[in-house]
Amino acid sequence: MMSSKLDDFNFGLRRQIFFPLLGDGIFTQEGASWKHSRDLLRPQFAKQQYRDMDIFRPHVDNLLHHIQANECEIDLQPLFFNLTLDTTTELLFGKSVDSLKEADNSRGAKFANEFDVAQNYVIQRFRLLDLYWLIGGRKFQRSCAAVHEFVDGIIEERSQKPEEDTAKNDRYLFFDAIAKDPKHSSDRKALRAQLVNMLLAGRDTTACLLSWTFFLLAQHPHVLVKLKAEITSVVGSRTEIDRQDINKMTYLAKVLKETLRLYPSVPVNTRTARRTTFLPTGGGPDGTSPVLIRKGENVAFCVYSMHRRKDLYGEDAEEFRPERWDEDLPEYTKTWGYLPFSGGPRICLGRK
């Protein structure tokens, strides 16, 4: 569905399901419009843009301030979501909403709340597929409108910024690329849709990875000890780190990879048959025969379950063990058996 038979499948009702919140953007587009959006976004993730960690430092400092200010137990998950909202808006717009920095009733915090409400409705709609229209109502519409109003405000503020100020920023900004693109420059809704799509893709995926990583480290203290030792060996007493330091932390990479294996950011996904086709295996008494897929039928696939298959990851596939990535895993496991970032032409641009 993602490679040799890519043209036999499409997203089906995804656009209609997500449209009230996302509009037409890279997450809902297909064909030429999707390729155009991807080409605009690709320079955003160029390695040279993130040689140092300066863009992340103030937001991580704000996160640590929240944690240190609370002597009692604190729920980290919403803080991680605000952290990734702050970094994503700075990466895309050149200016963060600073939802961690401001008070709980701040504009950024209100936006984060409305974004969560709207997204929860969209997830429920996605689960129903053909019956998605049963999920909606005024609360959903109000939250979508609040998200759109917030992004429109950023667009307006950014549009009034003198060009010379923008030129001083030597980083590639997706906002500027989209705003100057002929397909979006004269259409405010199209510009907003692309930005909301990227907020969705950049915020929740990283926040979920952070949440599950800290959850697993708390459950496996021996992994935490080993990870801290590696970080200390690379960084020492330095407080400034860069991308080269991160690249030297090979055990950290395995910890994150193992977390994404057990808890992929998109655990279940679907495709819809564009024409009558077949899957090569899965049918017949022994599961090795082809499976007929008729035009218009939906095919759901569970990455969460595949990542826990014992034939791909061993008898301890349910366990959190970063060291497994040093072992001789089946070749298929390293390619189509591990899909936290999808695969094929639509593989996630931000996977690195």
Side-chain angles (χ1 to χ4, degrees), residues 26 34-50 172 174 177 198 345-351:
I26 192 171
W34 162 77
K35 187 178 185 305
H36 180 72
S37 296
R38 189 175 173 93
D39 289 343
L40 287 172
L41 181 60
R42 193 184 302 276
Q44 179 77 60
F45 297 102
K47 288 183 179 180
Q48 60 267 28
Q49 292 216 98
Y50 310 113
Y172 178 95
F174 184 58
M198 288 312 303
R346 292 192 77 114
I347 193 169
C348 177
L349 279 172
R351 63 190 181 280

Coordinates of all heavy atoms in Angstrom, one line a residue, residues 26 34-50 172 174 177 198 345-351:
I26 N -0.7 19.5 3.7 CA 0.1 18.4 3.3 C -0.4 17.1 3.9 O -0.2 16.0 3.4 CB 1.5 18.7 3.7 CG1 2.5 17.6 3.1 CG2 1.7 18.7 5.2 CD1 4.0 17.9 3.3
W34 N 0.0 17.6 -3.0 CA 0.8 17.1 -1.9 C 2.3 17.2 -2.2 O 3.1 17.6 -1.4 CB 0.5 15.6 -1.7 CG 1.5 14.9 -0.9 CD1 1.7 15.0 0.5 CD2 2.6 14.0 -1.4 NE1 2.8 14.2 0.8 CE2 3.4 13.6 -0.3 CE3 2.9 13.5 -2.6 CZ2 4.4 12.8 -0.4 CZ3 4.0 12.7 -2.8 CH2 4.7 12.3 -1.7
K35 N 2.7 16.8 -3.4 CA 4.1 16.9 -3.8 C 4.6 18.3 -3.7 O 5.7 18.6 -3.3 CB 4.3 16.3 -5.2 CG 5.8 16.2 -5.6 CD 6.0 15.6 -7.0 CE 7.4 15.4 -7.3 NZ 8.2 16.7 -7.2
H36 N 3.8 19.3 -4.2 CA 4.2 20.7 -4.1 C 4.4 21.1 -2.7 O 5.4 21.8 -2.4 CB 3.1 21.6 -4.8 CG 3.4 23.0 -4.8 ND1 4.4 23.6 -5.6 CD2 2.9 24.0 -4.0 CE1 4.4 24.9 -5.3 NE2 3.5 25.2 -4.4
S37 N 3.5 20.7 -1.8 CA 3.6 21.1 -0.4 C 4.8 20.5 0.2 O 5.6 21.1 1.0 CB 2.4 20.7 0.4 OG 1.2 21.3 -0.1
R38 N 5.1 19.2 -0.1 CA 6.3 18.6 0.4 C 7.6 19.2 0.0 O 8.5 19.3 0.8 CB 6.3 17.1 0.0 CG 7.3 16.2 0.7 CD 7.1 14.8 0.3 NE 8.1 13.9 0.8 CZ 8.1 13.2 1.9 NH1 7.1 13.3 2.7 NH2 9.1 12.4 2.3
D39 N 7.6 19.7 -1.3 CA 8.8 20.3 -1.8 C 9.1 21.7 -1.0 O 10.2 22.1 -0.8 CB 8.7 20.6 -3.3 CG 8.8 19.3 -4.1 OD1 9.3 18.3 -3.6 OD2 8.3 19.3 -5.3
L40 N 8.0 22.3 -0.7 CA 8.1 23.6 0.1 C 8.6 23.3 1.5 O 9.4 24.1 2.1 CB 6.8 24.3 0.2 CG 6.3 25.0 -1.1 CD1 4.9 25.5 -0.9 CD2 7.2 26.2 -1.5
L41 N 8.2 22.2 2.1 CA 8.5 21.9 3.5 C 9.9 21.3 3.6 O 10.6 21.5 4.7 CB 7.5 20.9 4.0 CG 7.6 20.5 5.5 CD1 7.5 21.7 6.4 CD2 6.5 19.5 5.9
R42 N 10.4 20.6 2.6 CA 11.6 19.8 2.7 C 12.8 20.7 3.3 O 13.5 20.2 4.2 CB 12.0 19.2 1.4 CG 13.1 18.2 1.4 CD 13.5 17.7 0.0 NE 12.3 17.2 -0.7 CZ 11.9 15.9 -0.6 NH1 12.5 15.1 0.3 NH2 10.8 15.5 -1.2
P43 N 13.1 21.9 2.8 CA 14.2 22.7 3.3 C 14.1 23.0 4.8 O 15.1 23.3 5.5 CB 14.2 24.0 2.5 CG 13.4 23.6 1.3 CD 12.4 22.6 1.7
Q44 N 12.9 22.9 5.4 CA 12.7 23.2 6.8 C 13.5 22.2 7.7 O 13.9 22.5 8.8 CB 11.2 23.0 7.2 CG 10.9 23.3 8.7 CD 10.9 24.7 9.0 OE1 10.1 25.5 8.5 NE2 11.8 25.1 10.0
F45 N 13.7 21.0 7.1 CA 14.4 20.0 7.9 C 15.8 19.7 7.5 O 16.4 18.7 7.8 CB 13.6 18.6 7.8 CG 12.2 18.8 8.4 CD1 11.1 18.9 7.6 CD2 12.0 18.7 9.8 CE1 9.8 19.0 8.1 CE2 10.8 18.8 10.3 CZ 9.7 19.0 9.5
A46 N 16.4 20.7 6.8 CA 17.8 20.6 6.4 C 18.7 20.5 7.7 O 18.5 21.3 8.6 CB 18.2 21.7 5.5
K47 N 19.7 19.7 7.7 CA 20.5 19.5 8.9 C 21.2 20.8 9.3 O 21.4 21.0 10.5 CB 21.6 18.4 8.7 CG 21.0 17.0 8.6 CD 22.1 16.0 8.5 CE 21.5 14.6 8.4 NZ 22.5 13.5 8.3
Q48 N 21.6 21.6 8.3 CA 22.4 22.8 8.7 C 21.6 23.8 9.5 O 22.2 24.7 10.1 CB 23.0 23.4 7.4 CG 22.0 23.9 6.4 CD 21.7 22.9 5.3 OE1 21.9 21.7 5.6 NE2 21.3 23.3 4.2
Q49 N 20.3 23.6 9.4 CA 19.4 24.6 10.2 C 19.5 24.3 11.7 O 19.2 25.2 12.5 CB 18.0 24.4 9.8 CG 17.7 24.9 8.4 CD 16.4 25.6 8.3 OE1 16.3 26.8 8.4 NE2 15.3 24.8 8.2
Y50 N 19.9 23.1 12.1 CA 19.9 22.7 13.5 C 21.2 22.2 14.0 O 21.3 21.2 14.7 CB 18.8 21.6 13.7 CG 17.5 22.0 13.0 CD1 17.0 21.3 11.9 CD2 16.8 23.1 13.5 CE1 15.8 21.7 11.3 CE2 15.6 23.5 12.9 CZ 15.1 22.8 11.8 OH 14.0 23.2 11.2
Y172 N 15.6 28.8 7.2 CA 14.4 28.6 6.3 C 13.2 28.5 7.2 O 13.1 27.7 8.1 CB 14.6 27.4 5.5 CG 13.5 27.1 4.5 CD1 13.5 27.5 3.2 CD2 12.4 26.4 5.0 CE1 12.5 27.2 2.3 CE2 11.3 26.1 4.1 CZ 11.4 26.5 2.8 OH 10.3 26.2 1.9
F174 N 9.1 27.8 7.1 CA 8.0 27.3 6.3 C 7.0 28.4 6.1 O 6.4 28.5 5.0 CB 7.4 26.1 7.0 CG 6.3 25.4 6.2 CD1 6.6 24.9 5.0 CD2 5.1 25.2 6.8 CE1 5.6 24.2 4.2 CE2 4.1 24.6 6.0 CZ 4.4 24.1 4.8
A177 N 8.1 30.6 3.2 CA 8.0 29.9 1.9 C 6.6 29.8 1.4 O 6.3 30.0 0.2 CB 8.7 28.5 2.1
M198 N 0.9 21.5 9.7 CA 2.3 21.3 10.3 C 2.3 21.3 11.8 O 3.1 20.7 12.4 CB 3.2 22.3 9.7 CG 3.6 22.0 8.2 SD 4.0 20.3 7.9 CE 5.4 20.1 9.0
P345 N 7.1 6.9 -0.6 CA 7.2 8.3 -0.9 C 6.7 9.3 0.2 O 7.1 10.4 0.2 CB 6.3 8.4 -2.2 CG 6.3 7.1 -2.8 CD 6.4 6.1 -1.6
R346 N 5.7 8.8 1.0 CA 5.2 9.7 2.0 C 5.8 9.5 3.4 O 5.3 9.9 4.4 CB 3.7 9.5 2.1 CG 2.9 9.9 0.9 CD 1.4 9.9 1.2 NE 1.0 11.1 1.9 CZ 0.2 12.1 1.5 NH1 -0.2 12.1 0.3 NH2 -0.1 13.1 2.3
I347 N 7.0 9.0 3.4 CA 7.7 8.8 4.7 C 7.9 10.2 5.3 O 8.1 11.2 4.6 CB 9.1 8.1 4.5 CG1 9.7 7.7 5.8 CG2 10.0 9.0 3.7 CD1 10.9 6.8 5.7
C348 N 7.8 10.3 6.6 CA 7.9 11.5 7.4 C 9.1 12.3 7.1 O 10.3 11.8 7.3 CB 7.7 11.3 8.9 SG 7.8 12.7 9.9
L349 N 9.0 13.6 6.7 CA 10.2 14.4 6.5 C 10.9 14.8 7.8 O 12.1 15.0 7.8 CB 9.7 15.7 5.8 CG 9.5 15.7 4.3 CD1 8.9 17.0 3.9 CD2 10.8 15.5 3.6
G350 N 10.2 14.8 8.9 CA 10.8 15.2 10.2 C 11.3 14.0 11.0 O 11.6 14.1 12.2
R351 N 11.5 12.8 10.4 CA 11.9 11.7 11.1 C 13.3 11.8 11.8 O 13.6 11.1 12.8 CB 11.9 10.4 10.2 CG 12.9 10.4 9.1 CD 12.6 9.3 8.1 NE 13.5 9.2 7.0 CZ 13.4 10.0 5.9 NH1 12.4 10.9 5.8 NH2 14.3 9.9 4.9

